[in-house]
Amino acid sequence: MRSIIWDMGGTLIDTYPEVDQTLAEVVWATPGKEQLAEVAQLRSASIAHAIDALADRYQVSSKQLNDAYSALKKKWIHDPAPLMAGADEAMAAVRRGGGLNLVATHRDRTSAENLLKALGVQVDDLVCAPDGFARKPDPHMNQVLMERHGLSPTDVIAVGDRLIDVEAARSAGIEGILVAPKPYPHVTTITSLTELLDRL
């Protein structure tokens, strides 16, 4: 049995394209590839960082950017961002093997639960940093999930799209796997979630 602690945005659910487009449209009337790439680079640190950096760089109101992002999260209640390719198969394989699908996210609980509900995705537990848990790379959320479900580090892998996800996993004593388009030194990297099937 192997359980997975999933990150949410950019790992389990493909939220980033819509986030990037939404923020870019606040700054530019018709953003092109270069503008979207700039937003994506800023957002790779965090959405909050992207909002602060864009507001400072382009003299745009941070309130406008935050309002646009809030409107996007409301849209997702009825028209959610899609699951990442391979997520269904990987989650089903975890269940078949008797493992748990757990989520550790920086996203607020309302937004996280709305996305999962709209997509019809059932997870076994969900820990959200805004509920009072330390943000990654701190291992706190991973540790809480393992303690709640009586899991040892060898029972679990953590999957995320940022190096902080891997760092949080390693600090909790569990294997961290990075979802990324290119390999990183000393980090187990996959380009598709279907590659997890051989690890469960």
Side-chain angles (χ1 to χ4, degrees):
M1 176 192 78
R2 294 205 86 180
S3 297
I4 294 182
I5 298 177
W6 299 92
D7 179 53
M8 183 170 276
T11 301
L12 191 59
I13 303 175
D14 193 12
T15 54
Y16 291 158
E18 286 188 75
V19 171
D20 295 347
Q21 185 72 35
T22 295
L23 297 181
E25 286 177 354
V26 175
V27 181
W28 301 280
T30 53
K33 289 183 179 179
E34 288 185 7
Q35 288 81 22
L36 289 169
E38 180 180 347
V39 175
Q41 192 277 326
L42 294 170
R43 185 261 309 139
S44 67
S46 72
I47 293 171
H49 170 74
I51 287 172
D52 289 343
L54 289 168
D56 181 64
R57 190 175 293 180
Y58 294 102
Q59 288 73 56
V60 176
S61 164
S62 59
K63 183 179 185 303
Q64 282 181 277
L65 291 158
N66 277 302
D67 286 351
Y69 181 47
S70 294
L72 176 62
K73 289 192 287 186
K74 289 180 181 177
K75 169 187 171 290
W76 282 339
I77 295 172
H78 304 292
D79 183 17
L83 276 177
M84 294 290 285
D88 271 337
E89 296 95 317
M91 294 181 80
V94 170
R95 286 191 292 271
R96 284 195 303 271
L100 301 173
N101 286 297
L102 309 168
V103 174
T105 179
H106 290 171
R107 185 174 298 278
D108 66 274
R109 179 166 294 276
T110 298
S111 174
E113 290 181 344
N114 284 341
L115 268 171
L116 292 170
K117 181 179 179 181
L119 288 165
V121 173
Q122 292 187 337
V123 298
D124 297 292
D125 203 351
L126 169 67
V127 170
C128 302
D131 288 344
F133 301 101
R135 294 169 66 90
K136 304 169 192 175
D138 192 287
H140 189 203
M141 290 192 285
N142 291 333
Q143 291 166 336
V144 166
L145 286 167
M146 288 194 294
E147 288 168 7
R148 282 183 183 175
H149 299 281
L151 299 171
S152 69
T154 55
D155 294 332
V156 184
I157 57 177
V159 182
D161 63 286
R162 294 189 289 170
L163 290 175
I164 60 170
D165 297 307
V166 175
E167 292 167 17
R170 288 176 173 174
S171 294
I174 62 181
E175 181 184 6
I177 297 178
L178 184 70
V179 184
K182 61 181 181 180
Y184 281 76
H186 314 297
V187 176
T188 301
T189 308
I190 60 174
T191 58
S192 168
L193 296 181
T194 56
E195 294 176 53
L196 293 170
L197 299 178
D198 293 332
R199 299 175 177 274
L200 300 174

